[in-house]
Amino acid sequence: MLPIALTLGEAAGVALDITIAAWARRERERLPPFIFLGSAANIAERAILLGIDCPTREVEPEEAALVFPMALPCLPGFPEAKAEPGLIAREDAALTIQSIRQAAEFVADGRCSSMVTNPIAKHALNEAGFAYPGHTEYLADLGEQLFGEKRRPVMMLAGPDLRAVPVTIHVPLCDVPRLLTTELIVETGKIAAEELKRRFAISSPRIAVSGLNPHAGEKGVIGKEDIEVIRPAVDLLCQAGIEAEGPLPADTMFHPAARRRYDLALCMYHDQALIPVKALAFDHAVNVTLGLPFVRTSPDHGTAMEIAGTGRARPSSLMAALHMAAEMSRSPVQA
């Protein structure tokens, strides 16, 4: 069995904590085997601080699945991060980036099935000269470099009861109407639908498309975007053979009966998608990057440096990310 490549993340945050806590729950949670692309010494030191018995073994990915039941597999020779809990070390930025790239290379080489990324401190990477806004953009670049495929990545948040994709992501709310176009909605919807087929074995995905304005614009009384931008996008998605419905009022899209009618909610902006997912499954939601030539998932939380090393960090979202990466890797990928 191929292991999942789990990245270092920000060593000053809870990445080490949740990695150790997840491995400690491997049997009870029936976790798929993973290899930690970071220093075994960092794991051992943090495990002592947390009071968790977590033996480590430095092995190559090919041996990770065999070792996993007895010890946490770690990549041999990976340099030790200098950070202490809650205190970022500037020189660790290079290790964080190295770990992400190594994970992508292992997947590209067929040595790992997929990758799960631990939380990073974006400001620390940017201060060290990292040229990307975050994981997603860097992974898209790595996909082109390693797989020869230039693709547009799409962010999906997924919990046990809801999958949601925001069309616009990390932009000010006041800019959303200007950035929202029919073409962008259609492109995002098509990528999401294709990935539900390829990675989640949903043969005919049903997509609920939210409106932008209250009550989906109330037939143009509360804004024209729903009529002029979103409705044409829904029509084009339907013409492309995708079962899409909308624009729908966002305040009535997420109750249980409504959620049973679709496989994915396509939302117009960040909070419109993320609030319902996190309200329904705060500790179990997963960040999934759709559209890449490889599988990548991540816990849906940040570095939480204020609780690093305290034992208060919960590994639930990381464990959900590991399970989802394994599920997506097992799904038959169609050309």
Side-chain angles (χ1 to χ4, degrees), residues 22 36 39 79 101 104 145 191 223 233 261 316:
F36 178 64
S39 168
R101 182 177 185 92
Q145 291 178 35
I191 292 171
R261 297 198 296 267
S316 307

Side-chain angles (χ1 to χ4, degrees), residues 114-194:
S114 52
M115 63 186 293
V116 174
T117 57
N118 261 315
I120 59 174
K122 296 174 187 175
H123 68 279
L125 296 184
N126 291 339
E127 289 172 3
F130 188 57
Y132 303 88
H135 267 125
T136 304
E137 295 80 7
Y138 183 44
L139 292 170
D141 197 6
L142 288 175
E144 185 174 3
Q145 291 178 35
L146 300 174
F147 293 80
E149 299 181 30
K150 184 178 179 65
R151 297 189 186 182
R152 175 176 167 256
V154 167
M155 172 182 171
M156 180 176 79
L157 273 292
D161 301 309
L162 176 64
R163 302 181 189 93
V165 165
V167 175
T168 62
I169 307 176
H170 297 121
V171 298
L173 191 57
C174 62
D175 291 342
V176 170
R178 175 178 58 83
L179 296 172
L180 205 58
T181 65
T182 297
E183 293 73 21
L184 181 62
I185 296 168
V186 171
E187 182 184 22
T188 306
K190 285 182 175 180
I191 292 171
E194 182 60 28

Side-chain angles (χ1 to χ4, degrees), residues 211-225:
L212 173 66
N213 297 298
H215 307 294
E218 198 73 71
K219 297 184 179 180
V221 175
I222 315 175
K224 305 295 184 184
E225 293 88 355

Side-chain angles (χ1 to χ4, degrees), residues 156-164 206 253-265 273 276-282 284-286 320 324:
M156 180 176 79
L157 273 292
D161 301 309
L162 176 64
R163 302 181 189 93
R206 302 165 300 163
M253 276 181 59
F254 301 109
H255 63 82
R259 295 198 307 271
R260 287 195 288 269
R261 297 198 296 267
Y262 59 82
D263 301 299
L264 179 137
V277 175
K278 292 189 176 185
L280 289 167
F282 186 77
H284 302 278
V286 178
M324 187 167 290

